[in-house]
Amino acid sequence: MSPQEPGHFRRFARMAMAILAVRRLSETEPVPQPELPPRPAESMEAGVDPSERTVPANPRAETLVAVLLAVAGLFGLGFLVTYIFEGLNTQLLGLAVGGMLLLLAAASIIAGKAVVPQETSVEERDALLEPTEVEGVVELVESGGEGVSRRGLLIGCGCLAGAGVLTAAATPLASTGPRLTPIHETPWHRGRRMLDERDQPYRASDIEVGTFYTAFPEGAKWDQVGGPLLLVKLPPTFLELPRQRRAWGTEAQGILAFSKICPHAGCAISLYRYPTFSPDLTGNAQPAFTCPCHYSTFLPGRGGELVFGPAGRDLPQLPVMIDGDGYLRAAGGFDEDVGPSWVNVHRVGE
């Protein structure tokens, strides 16, 4: 035997062992796999129809759904009532909308579980909207009401709920246009007295030069946008009112009244400057109101003229008169609408 023969023998032996191992693995029985449930199509082919249809026919659930729909509609109508009588009361408005949506959701859940038929069906997918299948679709939709004994009640309550939803959705439109917003109405009219923070009426003698006062309408809500006023008294040196309002500066001994609400973003004006040096009619030396929010500045001596800041228009002015007892009263309404300009406070055509 040559020296290379033992090495060849070992290689042949390893090859023979590998071939034997592969043969044994091929003869091993396959591991059984768990059976999967048949797919719907296979079940249909095997003659097993998985379709199932159950008609609840539950009058009690129908009544409950009808009640929920009716109350949801009342909540939607309540949104409109709140908007009319309470204004922008966000708590009540949110409660009305939230209650409406919650009741609609509850009605939908109960109707889907206990009123309409429960159906499981399997069908092959074909082209959609075939003309020949339109009638079948109509029949399928109509079959959804099978087992419902109070159809008229449910339809009526559903219409009420729909009316409530539409009302709640359309009500905010009243705040988007100048003809619908109630901001044009203010509590001020000719003869209404002006009160201080303690409900005491102002006398003309109470108003001094160099400071400003806040006034409120007597016998009206103070929280209305057009309610609070700014009162100042100016000497003739500072009076340069527009021509159509020139008499307003002399009828009340130089006492002028303006809306306290800034026409920019609706902030309350609370700053007033009065020059302590030699007065003149230049804008820098005039008495002025300043809004603390965005620093819009208005000159009362020039009828509330805007001279600085982002406000888009002048400060609305109210005419003032003095009655026989010396009390300050409104001599009419504002010269223009009050409130922020970004809610369209200008009337159409003005």
Side-chain angles (χ1 to χ4, degrees):
M1 179 182 294
S2 64
Q4 297 178 350
E5 289 182 358
H8 288 291
F9 179 76
R10 285 194 293 271
R11 285 196 294 272
F12 284 123
R14 286 196 293 267
M15 293 176 61
M17 293 176 64
I19 293 172
L20 181 61
V22 172
R23 180 175 296 177
R24 288 180 177 178
L25 289 175
S26 63
E27 294 175 356
T28 304
E29 294 182 0
V31 178
Q33 299 292 331
E35 295 184 2
L36 298 176
R39 292 180 296 177
E42 295 175 351
S43 300
M44 297 292 290
E45 294 175 358
V48 179
D49 187 1
S51 300
E52 181 181 357
R53 179 180 174 84
T54 303
V55 179
N58 190 338
R60 183 174 300 178
E62 296 172 13
T63 303
L64 179 58
V65 171
V67 172
L68 291 175
L69 290 175
V71 178
L74 295 178
F75 267 79
L77 297 176
F79 183 92
L80 175 62
V81 175
T82 301
Y83 183 87
I84 294 175
F85 294 101
E86 294 295 331
L88 297 180
N89 189 325
T90 54
Q91 288 81 7
L92 293 180
L93 293 175
L95 179 63
V97 172
M100 177 188 67
L101 296 178
L102 181 63
L103 292 169
L104 287 176
S108 300
I109 293 173
I110 297 175
K113 295 291 185 180
V115 176
V116 300
Q118 310 296 306
E119 183 175 1
T120 301
S121 61
V122 179
E123 60 181 8
E124 296 183 2
R125 181 179 298 175
D126 295 327
L128 298 178
L129 299 179
E130 288 289 341
T132 57
E133 298 180 359
V134 174
E135 295 182 0
V137 173
V138 174
E139 294 177 359
L140 180 63
V141 173
E142 292 178 349
S143 66
E146 185 177 349
V148 179
S149 59
R150 293 179 170 87
R151 296 188 184 184
L153 177 63
L154 290 175
I155 292 175
C157 293
C159 292
L160 177 60
V165 172
L166 293 177
T167 300
T171 298
L173 296 177
S175 295
T176 61
R179 291 190 178 276
L180 299 178
T181 173
I183 203 171
H184 301 301
E185 301 176 1
T186 72
W188 293 106
H189 56 75
R190 183 176 179 82
R192 174 152 278 172
R193 289 199 301 182
M194 303 176 182
L195 307 181
D196 61 16
E197 294 87 346
R198 298 170 297 175
D199 283 343
Q200 298 300 315
Y202 277 111
R203 292 180 178 271
S205 57
D206 297 332
I207 311 302
E208 299 179 356
V209 174
T211 186
F212 79 104
Y213 305 82
T214 299
F216 300 94
E218 183 180 32
K221 292 184 178 180
W222 289 10
D223 58 354
Q224 290 182 256
V225 174
L229 295 177
L230 294 170
L231 291 179
V232 293
K233 184 174 183 179
L234 299 180
T237 309
F238 288 128
L239 291 176
E240 193 181 3
L241 298 177
R243 181 178 54 82
Q244 63 273 22
R245 286 180 274 155
R246 193 158 296 165
W248 293 12
T250 59
E251 291 176 349
Q253 303 175 5
I255 298 175
L256 306 176
F258 297 88
S259 172
K260 191 178 178 68
I261 304 303
C262 178
H264 171 231
C267 298
I269 298 175
S270 58
L271 301 177
Y272 178 62
R273 77 174 189 212
Y274 189 85
T276 57
F277 47 87
S278 178
D280 57 53
L281 294 181
T282 62
N284 294 328
Q286 280 262 358
F289 298 121
T290 301
C291 177
C293 294
H294 306 96
Y295 301 102
S296 293
T297 303
F298 310 90
L299 302 182
R302 296 183 180 176
E305 177 185 350
L306 172 69
V307 294
F308 178 80
R313 58 194 177 95
D314 298 340
L315 194 62
Q317 185 177 3
L318 184 81
V320 182
M321 68 179 184
I322 304 174
D323 65 13
D325 296 324
Y327 293 109
L328 296 179
R329 297 178 181 268
F334 285 97
D335 67 310
E336 65 172 321
D337 290 331
V338 301
S341 300
W342 42 260
V343 291
N344 298 328
V345 298
H346 284 298
R347 295 183 188 275
V348 174
E350 294 185 354

